[in-house]
Amino acid sequence: MNDTGSLDHLIEALRRLPGVGVKSAARMAFHLLQHDREGARVLAQALDAAVDRMGHCKLCHTFTEDEVCATCRDPRRDPGLLCVVETPADQAAVERTAAFRGRYFVLMGRISPLDGVGPNEIGVHQLLTRATDGLVHEVVMATNFTAEGEVTAHLLGTALRERGLKVTRLARGVPAGSELEYVDLSTIAHALVDRR
Amino acid sequence: MNDTGSLDHLIEALRRLPGVGVKSAARMAFHLLQHDREGARVLAQALDAAVDRMGHCKLCHTFTEDEVCATCRDPRRDPGLLCVVETPADQAAVERTAAFRGRYFVLMGRISPLDGVGPNEIGVHQLLTRATDGLVHEVVMATNFTAEGEVTAHLLGTALRERGLKVTRLARGVPAGSELEYVDLSTIAHALVDRR
């Protein structure tokens, strides 16, 4: 009696996307089938092409179609500075500031013991190899200021310092444009300690 | 210099899904490429299969892989009762009640002049043909109780009544399990008018 098998499979497959529950998945499937069948084809092709072509940069670990990504190949970048971020999205955020002209290492995750993600899962060995290439003299830890990001920065920073590297962390403080009255206490406390 | 073309295309394609902005699309793409490449393949195949196989039931207009959907083929259903709903999800909600044993007509939308959706876009001619098959004697309008749903029910109801059919609407009233104190005024007002 099942005459909607391929629709059910599509809803099931859409649920594998992060943040998509059964109702959103059904809404997406209905939308594609009713209003945007071409979009469904385009998405199917884009998924296959991305899985076929995207690999990881052998230097910085971010997504790239080449062996070494465009950022790592850029000769104008300072080879002595290495910025460690959690994700390509974080890297893009740092890039947008135009305030950093060094290289990157993208962890593609964060240490999170509760999820079974330890140092090995986020490529600590690749990072140590990368940072001890003889050119890098400072590693800027730009992991998130969440519990997991702080633990990641602490553990990786310790390992890097043991290898004689200078390790710094993004400054904590009051965000630009904010009024003190509305800034949370822990941020103000950190800004006081790190005052300059 | 662009070494992430297929990733950019994937993010672009994911944005065609309803409710997905550029940040969610990037998060989905990163997740698939980093943690669930098999899921990306499965989704690509499911999209293609659904677009290839899913069509519309020629009687009730819902999604089906066959010419006539399983519900319309079911001989145990009352051919004299026709329930008009906006979407397959609404049809599923009515089905779950097990309180309706007639047939359905799925509009696959609602009249919404602001979005350029008029009676023709939601298959009013198919509905009129379907409802005047000589067997249907009552049409239950089960469109949503939103502005668009009410307009749809009103316009379609008028057209169906002109063809001599009995047209009813789902009862409006206080939801099961609710305390009057917390029910909005317009619902209580409707429940008072429709008291029985």
Side-chain angles (χ1 to χ4, degrees), chain A residues 17 39-40 42-54 63 65, chain B residues 4-17 20-22 24-34 36-37 40-41 43-44 47:
Chain A
L17 296 171
V42 167
L43 179 53
Q45 280 158 23
L47 284 160
D48 277 330
V51 172
D52 286 340
R53 291 191 211 141
M54 296 303 290
F63 290 123
E65 293 178 4
Chain B
T4 57
S6 58
L7 176 62
D8 300 342
H9 282 148
L10 176 56
I11 293 174
E12 191 86 0
L14 283 164
R15 290 194 58 192
R16 293 178 85 141
L17 295 171
V20 176
V22 67
S24 325
R27 200 160 51 92
M28 289 172 174
F30 293 153
H31 171 83
L32 289 175
L33 287 174
Q34 187 65 18
D36 195 12
R37 285 182 176 235
R41 294 284 190 205
L43 179 53
L47 284 161

Side-chain angles (χ1 to χ4, degrees), chain B residues 86 110-111 143-154 169:
Chain B
E86 292 183 19
R110 61 206 65 76
I111 290 172
T143 55
N144 288 324
F145 284 79
T146 56
E148 288 95 343
E150 295 280 20
V151 167
T152 306
H154 178 74
R169 180 89 169 102

Side-chain angles (χ1 to χ4, degrees), chain A residues 53-80:
Chain A
R53 291 191 211 141
M54 296 303 290
H56 292 284
C57 171
K58 71 170 184 179
L59 285 180
C60 79
H61 223 212
T62 194
F63 290 123
T64 177
E65 293 178 4
D66 306 327
E67 206 180 347
V68 175
C69 75
T71 311
C72 286
R73 285 201 309 267
D74 187 349
R76 291 162 304 174
R77 288 184 169 266
D78 182 351

Side-chain angles (χ1 to χ4, degrees), chain A residues 31-152:
Chain A
H31 171 83
L32 289 175
L33 288 174
Q34 186 66 17
H35 301 293
D36 195 12
R37 286 183 174 236
E38 195 219 322
R41 292 285 191 203
V42 167
L43 179 53
Q45 280 158 23
L47 284 160
D48 277 330
V51 172
D52 286 340
R53 291 191 211 141
M54 296 303 290
H56 292 284
C57 171
K58 71 170 184 179
L59 285 180
C60 79
H61 223 212
T62 194
F63 290 123
T64 177
E65 293 178 4
D66 306 327
E67 206 180 347
V68 175
C69 75
T71 311
C72 286
R73 285 201 309 267
D74 187 349
R76 291 162 304 174
R77 288 184 169 266
D78 182 351
L81 272 176
L82 190 69
C83 179
V84 176
V85 292
E86 293 182 18
T87 66
D90 296 335
Q91 180 185 3
V94 177
E95 274 297 284
R96 276 196 299 274
T97 66
F100 181 76
R101 292 302 297 165
R103 311 272 168 113
Y104 290 91
F105 188 87
V106 186
L107 299 170
M108 293 292 185
R110 61 206 64 76
I111 290 173
S112 175
L114 289 177
D115 303 316
V117 180
N120 292 330
E121 278 72 38
I122 57 167
V124 65
H125 296 297
Q126 288 97 316
L127 170 60
L128 294 178
T129 310
R130 174 74 186 85
T132 53
D133 65 350
L135 295 169
V136 173
H137 60 79
E138 178 181 345
V139 181
V140 185
M141 301 302 301
T143 54
N144 288 324
F145 285 79
T146 56
E148 289 95 343
E150 295 281 20
V151 167
T152 306

Side-chain angles (χ1 to χ4, degrees), chain B residues 39-82:
Chain B
R41 294 284 190 205
V42 168
L43 179 53
Q45 279 158 23
L47 284 161
D48 277 330
V51 172
D52 286 340
R53 290 192 213 141
M54 296 303 291
H56 291 285
C57 171
K58 70 170 187 180
L59 284 179
C60 79
H61 222 212
T62 195
F63 290 124
T64 176
E65 295 179 3
D66 307 327
E67 204 179 349
V68 175
C69 75
T71 311
C72 285
R73 285 200 310 267
D74 186 348
R76 290 161 305 174
R77 289 185 167 266
D78 182 350
L81 272 176
L82 190 69

